[in-house]
Amino acid sequence: MTVTIEPWGDGDLPLLERMNTPEMTAHLGGPESAEDLERRQARYLRVADTGGRMFRIEVDGEPAGGIGYWESDEDGIPVYEAGWSVVPEHQRVGVAGAALRLLIAAVRRDGRRALLTAYPGVDNAASNALCARAGFEVRGEGREPWRGGELHFRIWALDLSPLDLTGRVATVDERFDSDTLSPDRWWPFYTPHWSSRERTAARYEVGDGLLLRIDEDTPPWAPEWDGDVRVSHLQTGQVSGDVGTTEGQHRFRDGLVVREAQPERRLWLPHFGVIEVRMSAVRHPDAMVAFWPIGVEDAPEESGEICIAEVFGSEIDDGGGWVGVGVKPQNDPRLRDAFERGWSFEKVWVDGDLTQPHDYAVEWTPERLRFFVDGRWVKTAAAAIDYPVQLMLDLYELPDPSSPRDTDALPHVMRVERVRTFG
């Protein structure tokens, strides 16, 4: 199933008529008259002239509903208001959610207003749940006359404002400007309990920022579990079990067994606040860079991953690239539902040369996480992660198994200029 949104057009009055049934308008006071529908069609065609946009929702190229945003205000604050409707045969299969994600991306690109609101009826369970999954916050309830009756609605708002660090002092501001890597902050091995410190040792330079490097003679980090994948990596914690157990951080696949005992390290473990990195990607189809805070795993379920940035070299071009942001559940079952519905993690397009430094950040509260690129909001994930995380800086080589390793392109080098946290 492919869901797209297309500009509302002159020929879309029949779609409005399909959405004007008693079933479809049960939360809106009932169907409109034919004359009212024609006026609505005219308004939809004028929305683009007044600062908003209306779209036709399509499923595999066939009309399935409507969605849009338009200028409004909430308590005197200029906002965009969103609304949507999906025909019955396409309900409860994820169409509305996919369309709302596309609409939010359009509002993000528009960039003129910092708040997106929605006002579903309090008894409209599906639309209220959709707002919650999309990261909207409840701001209250309201009532107003509507179609001869009274509409009782819930006020939802999605904060699109940029990252504001005014008045905040960094708890740690790591610039990698010393001659050596700080042992009080960094453990330069990639989850070595699943392999060994010898195979997982980072190759790096510090002094003028951090350079993580994969060379021709860098060995696969864990051939038993991860094939020919190579990694150069720093992390800020280490907790794992004894040899032969299955206890260890970042259980990325089933069947993992601890192969080398590791000392416990509890170094730099944020818990809420802002986490930010300034780093550069690597433009090669086999390369990937990432900044992933993950749960320290004092309990197995405390393993969720906050993906602040994940950039595959195969997804970069001259104009920009796709950056993965959001939350991955790993082994935290509490995060699974939103992830599987497509709300917790997504790839956002970022303009510019991603091989040059960009700022990637998250603002983390007990209720949600707001993600930013170069200070600009890109996503909100309504995920409750309430446990400490360790920071993980990663450079991967993910070779194509169908072709020889591209040694001529080596070394792959990832540059990190700084990592900061704010309480």
Side-chain angles (χ1 to χ4, degrees):
M1 179 180 70
T2 301
V3 178
T4 57
I5 56 174
E6 306 295 337
W8 195 269
D10 293 331
D12 286 327
L13 179 60
L15 180 57
L16 271 183
E17 293 170 343
R18 289 175 62 194
M19 297 187 292
N20 192 45
T21 65
E23 177 186 8
M24 291 284 291
T25 59
H27 300 291
L28 296 171
E32 295 179 288
S33 68
E35 294 78 10
D36 286 338
L37 275 192
E38 290 179 357
R39 284 191 285 269
R40 180 176 293 278
Q41 168 73 358
R43 288 199 304 274
Y44 280 12
L45 294 174
R46 293 196 305 269
V47 164
D49 299 329
T50 57
R53 297 188 70 185
M54 287 301 305
F55 300 94
R56 178 179 64 256
I57 301 171
E58 294 190 353
V59 176
D60 297 329
E62 296 297 323
I67 192 168
Y69 66 93
W70 50 91
E71 291 184 349
S72 184
D73 71 87
E74 177 61 37
D75 288 337
I77 300 172
V79 302
Y80 281 130
E81 179 180 343
W84 54 84
S85 184
V86 175
V87 297
E89 60 266 34
H90 290 294
Q91 293 177 4
R92 293 178 290 277
V93 292
V95 171
L100 182 54
R101 286 194 295 276
L102 293 170
L103 182 82
I104 291 171
V107 174
R108 180 178 68 234
R109 290 191 298 270
D110 183 303
R112 288 176 294 168
R113 298 201 170 189
L115 208 61
L116 179 65
T117 60
Y119 304 91
V122 294
D123 56 350
N124 189 339
S127 286
N128 281 284
L130 192 63
C131 290
R133 288 196 298 271
F136 286 71
E137 299 175 74
V138 176
R139 297 287 179 91
E141 295 182 2
R143 296 177 183 269
E144 66 177 46
W146 189 260
R147 297 186 189 176
E150 183 182 64
L151 183 63
H152 182 193
F153 54 88
R154 189 159 287 128
I155 303 167
W156 292 89
L158 180 63
D159 184 359
L160 315 177
S161 62
L163 180 63
D164 184 4
L165 296 176
T166 304
R168 303 181 78 158
V169 178
T171 55
V172 178
D173 188 351
E174 172 66 87
R175 303 292 178 125
F176 303 101
D177 51 5
S178 299
D179 294 337
T180 59
L181 193 67
S182 171
D184 296 330
R185 294 178 184 168
W186 301 103
W187 176 242
F189 304 97
Y190 180 63
T191 58
H193 44 283
W194 304 131
S195 179
S196 68
R197 286 195 293 278
E198 180 181 7
R199 277 193 168 272
T200 63
R203 299 193 178 191
Y204 64 90
E205 299 173 20
V206 293
D208 181 21
L210 167 70
L211 300 180
L212 286 171
R213 189 181 70 252
I214 292 177
D215 302 308
E216 184 173 355
D217 63 344
T218 297
W221 80 277
E224 178 183 10
W225 311 120
D226 211 16
D228 206 31
V229 173
R230 292 166 170 83
V231 187
S232 195
H233 160 103
L234 306 182
Q235 60 191 58
T236 64
Q238 172 66 57
V239 178
S240 59
D242 296 330
V243 171
T245 70
T246 60
E247 300 171 9
Q249 296 160 310
H250 198 40
R251 288 164 286 135
F252 62 93
R253 53 158 287 180
D254 292 335
L256 292 172
V257 176
V258 173
R259 294 306 189 202
E260 183 179 277
Q262 302 297 325
E264 184 172 299
R265 293 283 190 274
R266 294 178 180 271
L267 305 173
W268 185 4
L269 307 178
H271 191 175
F272 303 139
V274 173
I275 306 172
E276 181 190 58
V277 66
R278 182 168 178 81
M279 68 182 191
S280 304
V282 177
R283 187 174 176 180
H284 187 277
D286 294 345
M288 189 262 275
V289 303
F291 184 47
W292 293 331
I294 68 166
V296 182
E297 297 195 42
D298 290 318
E301 66 274 13
E302 294 182 352
S303 54
E305 173 189 312
I306 303 172
C307 182
I308 296 177
E310 173 184 280
V311 188
F312 288 86
S314 59
E315 297 180 341
I316 298 174
D317 63 25
D318 291 339
W322 292 101
V323 177
V325 298
V327 174
K328 298 180 184 180
Q330 299 300 347
N331 296 287
D332 187 340
R334 297 162 295 188
L335 304 175
R336 179 68 56 187
D337 179 66
F339 179 78
E340 291 177 346
R341 291 174 179 266
W343 288 107
S344 287
F345 177 83
E346 66 179 299
K347 292 185 178 182
V348 297
W349 180 263
V350 175
D351 290 326
D353 184 356
L354 298 192
T355 67
Q356 295 299 308
H358 288 264
D359 293 317
Y360 304 95
V362 67
E363 187 175 48
W364 174 22
T365 70
E367 297 80 22
R368 66 195 69 251
L369 300 102
R370 300 178 68 232
F371 294 85
F372 307 86
V373 177
D374 296 326
R376 183 173 59 93
W377 177 91
V378 295
K379 181 177 177 59
T380 295
I385 297 179
D386 188 2
Y387 42 81
V389 297
Q390 65 183 43
L391 309 183
M392 300 181 77
L393 279 168
D394 308 281
L395 169 63
Y396 287 87
E397 183 187 3
L398 308 168
D400 182 349
S402 66
S403 60
R405 188 181 180 213
D406 185 7
T407 56
D408 291 340
L410 299 172
H412 296 314
V413 179
M414 170 190 181
R415 179 172 178 81
V416 181
E417 294 193 358
R418 72 177 179 220
V419 180
R420 301 191 296 181
T421 53
F422 298 80

